[in-house]
């Protein structure tokens, strides 16, 4: 069925640059409001392409992200294809597995397939008669004076496009954001962390999941960490996080087995020694970057959302959830301020920057803590204490992860508490 909307002749044109997770969701939001939406995505249509290489294969979707999907009627579609993870499963060096619940019964996070999520959101955007998806359109540059955008098409031709509003959803290395860097009073920081990641697949055993499926499996080994999220085809996608220096030390199949024997022995038979040796060298380890910037807008013309505005390290599992929440918050402000871009854009920056910066800082803090302190004992200890305190003082002590993943409140108040802890942490000279 097509979503017919009010006549679009008088409605403004919104150009969404980037057809990834946030761009595709944003297209649904703007189309639902009756704007003429044009999405420009540099890649080919992934619904026709075979594989999407180089991106994490599955992701954890939590409450914040679900609320944003719900607003455009996509929650049930996505949740129905997600696998609930009610608890973490902490793998100790001796092979012991210890479950720790994420919260009460209804509080779980979902493992969702990235490519499928992107396809579902693109198709949802396309159901609106006032949406057009333009694939193989790579933004080369845009003018802050005229708002004219220049795209490079697959046939090598250049196309110039105008729009009433430009929404930069083109990811951590955003081309839209380049023009912001030339503006006075634009703040920008980018940090690559010394860790990289690579993904391995854990196949089913006799047609069944190799491990218990409704868990976020975690192997915390201080410097090294591995996680495994379940997929609908009964495989797990394992993500190994390790400093690039260490990746460089492991160059032969035997060294891979030796490394896993030392840190993740229980995973060897589950992934399979031969598959491990092969998959480990399939793709080079990918880098992880943290990008923070402000403001998120440029006059009444352009606004950044998702990783284009705030790329976070994945040690909190909240990057996509924060980007989805950007769409929800922007939409709420559009209602409050009657779609007046000259008022909506600055208000979006005022409301959203503190929360997104808090999530970026929390993710980096988690990374620093996990790589220096967190082995299985410490992980279990921390989570038992967090959960115990939450049980005896439910409204006073809410674990940060619980707050970020299950409670729809602005992170800033927590952030101030967190900031206090952080200053203690640093002044203790940990
Ligand atoms: C290893 C890893 C694990 C992660 N795990 C989680 C998790 O568990 N939970 C979670 O919430 N988040 C997770 N994330 C974060 C999540 O992947 C990102 O936050 C999310 O993909 C951001 O979506 P986006 O649409 O803003 O950017 P992207 O997904 O990067 O999409 C940007 C799109 O813009 C297109 N594009 C780029 N440049 C141009 C251009 N010049 N012109 C036109 N199009 C362009 C790209 O092709 C792409 O389609 C993880 C990230 C990594 C790296
Ligand atoms: C993909 C995804 C979704 N959520 N999380 C996540 C992140 C951190 C967490 O705790 C931090 C902590 C544990 C123990 C002590 C201090 C802090 C928890 C938790 O509480 O279970 C869950 C991840 C994730 C991503 C990468 C790594 Cl390496 C990882 F382990 C998990």
């Amino acid at each position: 069925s097509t979503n017919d909307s009010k006549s679009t002749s008088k409605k403004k044109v919104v150009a969404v640059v980037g057809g990834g997770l946030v761009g595709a969701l944003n297209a649904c939001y703007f189309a639902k409001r009756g704007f003429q939406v044009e999405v420009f995505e540099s890649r080919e249509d992934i619904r026709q392409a075979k594989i999407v290489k180089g991106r994490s294969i599955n992701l954890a979707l939590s409450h914040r992200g679900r609320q944003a999907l719900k607003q455009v009627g996509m929650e049930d579609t996505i949740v129905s294809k997600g696998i609930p993870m009610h608890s973490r499963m902490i793998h100790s060096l001796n092979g012991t597995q210890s479950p720790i619940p994420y919260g009460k019964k209804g509080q779980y996070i979902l493992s969702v397939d990235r490519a499928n999520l992107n396809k579902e959101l693109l198709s949802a955007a396309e159901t609106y008669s006032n949406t057009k998806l333009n694939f193989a359109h790579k933004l080369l540059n845009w003018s802050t004076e005229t708002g004219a955008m220049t795209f490079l098409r697959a046939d090598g031709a250049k196309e110039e496009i105008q729009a009433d509003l430009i929404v930069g959803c083109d990811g951590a290395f955003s081309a839209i954001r380049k023009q912001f860097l030339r503006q006075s009073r634009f703040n920008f920081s980018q940090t690559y962390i010394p860790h990289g990641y690579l993904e391995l697949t854990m196949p089913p055993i006799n047609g069944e999941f190799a491990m218990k499926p409704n868990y976020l499996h975690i192997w915390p080994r201080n410097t090294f960490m591995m996680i495994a999220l379940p997929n609908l085809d009964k495989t797990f996608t394992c993500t190994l996080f390790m400093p690039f220096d260490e990746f460089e030390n492991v160059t032969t199949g035997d060294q891979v087995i030796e490394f896993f024997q030392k840190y993740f022995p229980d995973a060897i038979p589950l992934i399979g020694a031969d598959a491990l040796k092969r998959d480990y060298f399939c793709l080079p380890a990918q880098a992880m970057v943290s990008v923070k910037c402000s403001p998120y807008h440029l006059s009444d013309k352009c606004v950044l959302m998702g990783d284009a505005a705030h790329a976070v390290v994945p040690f909190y599992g909240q990057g996509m959830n924060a980007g989805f929440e950007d769409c929800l918050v922007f939409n709420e402000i559009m209602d409050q301020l009657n779609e007046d871009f000259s008022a909506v854009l600055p208000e979006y920056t005022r409301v959203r920057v503190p929360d997104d910066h808090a999530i970026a800082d929390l993710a980096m803090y988690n990374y620093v803590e996990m790589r220096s302190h967190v082995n299985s004992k410490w992980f279990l200890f921390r989570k038992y204490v967090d959960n115990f305190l939450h049980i005896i003082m439910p409204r006073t002590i809410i674990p940060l992860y619980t707050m970020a993943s299950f409670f729809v409140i602005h992170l800033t108040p927590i952030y101030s508490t967190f900031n206090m802890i952080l200053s203690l942490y640093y002044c203790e000279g940990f």
Side-chain angles (χ1 to χ4, degrees):
S1 72
T2 55
N3 291 271
D4 288 328
S5 60
K6 300 184 280 306
S7 77
T8 56
S9 53
K10 65 183 183 317
K11 267 292 183 184
K12 295 182 175 174
V13 176
V14 173
V16 177
V17 180
L21 300 176
V22 173
L25 178 63
N26 245 335
C28 295
Y29 271 92
F30 284 104
K32 194 165 181 283
R33 306 188 76 93
F35 286 98
Q36 180 56 41
V37 179
E38 296 273 349
V39 178
F40 298 96
E41 164 56 45
S42 54
R43 292 176 300 172
E44 292 296 338
D45 187 345
I46 56 168
R47 295 169 295 174
Q48 271 113 43
K50 282 286 157 285
I51 50 160
V52 181
K53 62 185 183 305
R55 310 287 315 172
S56 78
I57 294 163
N58 53 16
L59 311 120
L61 172 69
S62 47
H63 186 84
R64 292 168 187 280
R66 288 179 59 167
Q67 290 299 98
L69 292 168
K70 186 178 187 173
Q71 192 64 29
V72 290
M74 286 301 288
E75 184 185 25
D76 295 344
T77 306
I78 301 306
V79 170
S80 68
K81 293 189 178 171
I83 301 176
M85 299 184 285
H86 298 280
S87 307
R88 311 97 170 156
M89 184 64 90
I90 306 305
H91 292 245
S92 304
L93 206 46
N94 62 16
T96 318
Q97 298 189 27
S98 316
I100 316 164
Y102 272 112
K104 306 180 196 63
K105 194 129 181 44
Q107 289 181 329
Y108 55 86
I109 55 179
L110 282 149
S111 174
V112 295
D113 177 89
R114 172 193 286 276
N116 177 64
L117 175 58
N118 206 162
K119 292 173 185 174
E120 296 274 8
L121 289 172
L122 286 168
S123 299
E126 225 168 26
T127 61
Y128 293 91
S129 58
N130 45 318
T131 295
K132 183 166 181 294
L133 305 181
N134 306 277
F135 295 102
H137 276 67
K138 182 183 170 90
L139 180 94
L140 294 179
N141 202 348
W142 70 287
S143 154
T144 53
E145 280 77 40
T146 66
M149 296 166 282
T150 308
F151 289 96
L152 178 66
R153 289 193 328 215
D155 59 6
K158 287 187 182 174
E159 191 174 345
E160 191 163 292
I161 300 282
Q162 284 279 2
D164 297 298
L165 178 68
I166 300 171
V167 188
C169 303
D170 49 344
F173 307 102
S174 164
I176 289 283
R177 193 179 59 219
K178 274 197 199 116
Q179 286 307 322
F180 282 64
L181 286 162
R182 299 171 50 188
Q183 304 299 311
S184 155
R185 301 177 62 201
F186 178 68
N187 301 304
F188 175 79
S189 74
Q190 170 179 301
T191 309
Y192 278 93
I193 57 173
H195 275 69
Y197 73 91
L198 69 75
E199 277 144 351
L200 302 160
T201 301
M202 187 181 284
I205 297 175
N206 304 324
E208 268 314 307
F209 281 103
M211 303 184 295
K212 288 186 174 170
N214 297 100
Y215 293 83
L216 170 54
H217 291 265
I218 302 176
W219 289 258
R221 301 287 185 272
N222 294 37
T223 322
F224 312 117
M225 318 89 159
M226 188 163 72
I227 59 173
L229 278 68
N231 297 305
L232 285 177
D233 63 359
K234 297 190 190 296
T235 61
F236 281 91
T237 300
C238 305
T239 307
L240 171 65
F241 297 96
M242 191 157 83
F244 278 105
D245 299 352
E246 299 291 338
F247 274 118
E248 280 144 23
N249 289 343
V250 180
T251 54
T252 68
D254 290 345
Q255 284 171 340
V256 173
I257 298 300
E258 198 182 319
F259 174 79
F260 268 73
Q261 200 67 48
K262 189 172 176 192
Y263 294 104
F264 314 111
D266 61 326
I268 298 178
L270 301 175
I271 295 173
D274 294 342
L276 192 47
K277 292 183 193 178
R278 191 187 59 240
D279 292 357
Y280 183 91
F281 299 106
C282 240
L283 277 169
Q286 308 278 311
M288 291 172 278
V289 70
S290 176
V291 170
K292 284 165 76 171
C293 73
S294 78
Y296 286 164
H297 73 286
L298 224 164
S299 73
D300 62 349
K301 193 72 201 171
C302 186
V303 63
L304 300 173
M305 296 199 210
D307 276 19
H310 47 77
V312 300
V313 290
F315 296 89
Y316 211 54
Q318 291 302 326
M320 164 191 65
N321 288 293
F324 280 5
E325 195 172 46
D326 290 350
C327 306
L328 182 68
V329 168
F330 188 86
N331 189 58
E332 284 167 356
I333 298 169
M334 284 278 269
D335 285 338
Q336 288 157 15
L337 301 176
N338 306 316
E339 302 185 351
D340 171 5
F341 296 154
S342 62
V344 168
L345 271 56
E347 178 64 4
Y348 169 73
T349 284
R350 187 188 70 78
V351 167
R352 202 58 196 152
V353 165
D355 279 3
D356 285 330
H357 283 197
I359 289 170
D361 293 346
L362 277 170
M364 189 61 86
Y365 170 75
N366 253 347
Y367 163 66
V368 169
E369 178 167 3
M370 290 184 84
R371 79 172 174 193
S372 36
H373 290 290
V374 183
N375 53 27
S376 355
K377 286 183 186 56
W378 175 255
F379 198 112
L380 292 165
F381 170 72
R382 271 293 305 274
K383 297 304 172 184
Y384 286 140
V385 168
D386 287 358
N387 284 0
F388 172 71
L389 291 176
H390 181 48
I391 288 165
I392 60 171
M393 295 177 274
R395 268 175 296 286
T396 319
I397 305 267
I398 304 177
L400 278 180
Y401 189 80
T402 310
M403 189 73 85
S405 303
F406 302 110
F407 286 66
V408 190
I409 67 156
H410 289 301
L411 268 166
T412 318
I414 325 164
Y415 182 48
S416 46
T417 320
F418 154 69
N419 235 349
M420 185 189 70
I421 299 166
L422 203 63
S423 49
L424 282 175
Y425 184 86
Y426 285 131
C427 76
E428 300 263 314
F430 265 82

